[in-house]
C-alpha cells in the first residue's frame, strides 16, 4: 500500500523559509514522479513543483527561483523522502501543501500540511 505523509508546515513571517518533507512508503521515490501541490482557501489546487523519475524538475511560475524540490539521499535514511525547500515566503504562499504521486495511473495524495505566512 502506497502512503505519503507530509510534515514541516507551520507559521512563518513574510520573507522566511520552511522545508516540507514527504515521506513515502510502498514506492521508490527515485523511480516515481513526485509532485508538491497547494490549495489556498477558495482556490483550486495547483501544482507547485514536480520531479520525475529521470530527475527532470518543473516549477510553477509563481514559485520559480524561491522553491526547490529534491529527493533524499538514495543511500541514506531519507531515501524515500521528497523535500520542498521554500524561501522568501510571502502571504500568497499560504495554503495547504500536498504531496502526490501516481501508481499505475492512480493518484495518491498525502493528507497535507498547512503553511501560513503572516506577520
Amino acid at each position: 500500500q502506497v502512503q505519503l505523509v507530509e510534515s514541516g508546515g507551520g507559521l512563518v513571517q513574510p520573507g522566511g523559509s520552511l522545508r516540507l518533507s514527504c515521506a513515502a512508503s510502498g514506492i521508490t521515490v527515485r523511480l516515481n514522479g513526485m509532485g508538491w501541490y497547494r490549495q489556498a482557501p477558495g482556490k483550486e489546487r495547483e501544482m507547485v513543483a514536480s520531479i520525475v523519475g529521470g530527475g527532470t524538475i518543473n516549477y510553477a511560475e509563481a514559485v520559480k527561483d524561491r522553491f526547490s524540490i529534491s529527493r533524499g539521499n538514495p543511500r541514506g535514511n531519507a531515501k524515500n523522502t521528497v523535500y520542498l525547500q521554500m524561501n522568501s515566503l510571502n502571504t500568497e504562499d499560504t495554503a495547504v501543501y500536498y504531496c502526490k504521486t501516481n501508481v499505475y495511473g492512480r493518484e495518491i495524495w498525502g493528507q497535507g500540511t498547512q503553511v501560513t505566512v503572516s506577520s
Side-chain angles (χ1 to χ4, degrees):
Q1 184 179 1
V2 178
Q3 285 189 321
L4 303 174
V5 179
E6 301 96 333
S7 61
L11 174 64
V12 63
Q13 291 187 342
S17 298
L18 280 175
R19 189 177 79 158
L20 306 183
S21 299
C22 171
S25 58
I27 59 168
T28 302
V29 297
R30 65 181 175 86
L31 300 178
N32 272 60
M34 305 291 297
W36 282 99
Y37 290 71
R38 68 185 181 186
Q39 187 166 20
K43 294 188 177 180
E44 292 187 357
R45 194 171 296 189
E46 62 178 358
M47 192 279 289
V48 174
S50 66
I51 181 168
V52 298
T56 301
I57 289 173
N58 285 293
Y59 295 102
E61 197 63 33
V63 306
K64 220 172 185 179
D65 300 325
R66 298 188 298 122
F67 289 12
S68 177
I69 187 172
S70 63
R71 295 186 286 225
N73 187 330
R75 294 188 178 87
N77 293 330
K79 61 183 177 182
N80 260 355
T81 300
V82 177
Y83 300 101
L84 184 69
Q85 177 67 42
M86 306 186 296
N87 300 324
S88 301
L89 286 161
N90 59 60
T91 56
E92 293 182 353
D93 297 316
T94 294
V96 178
Y97 284 71
Y98 299 90
C99 184
K100 192 202 87 168
T101 191
N102 287 283
V103 179
Y104 299 117
R106 188 165 69 97
E107 292 184 344
I108 307 294
W109 293 89
Q111 84 288 352
T113 185
Q114 175 72 47
V115 172
T116 302
V117 184
S118 175
S119 55

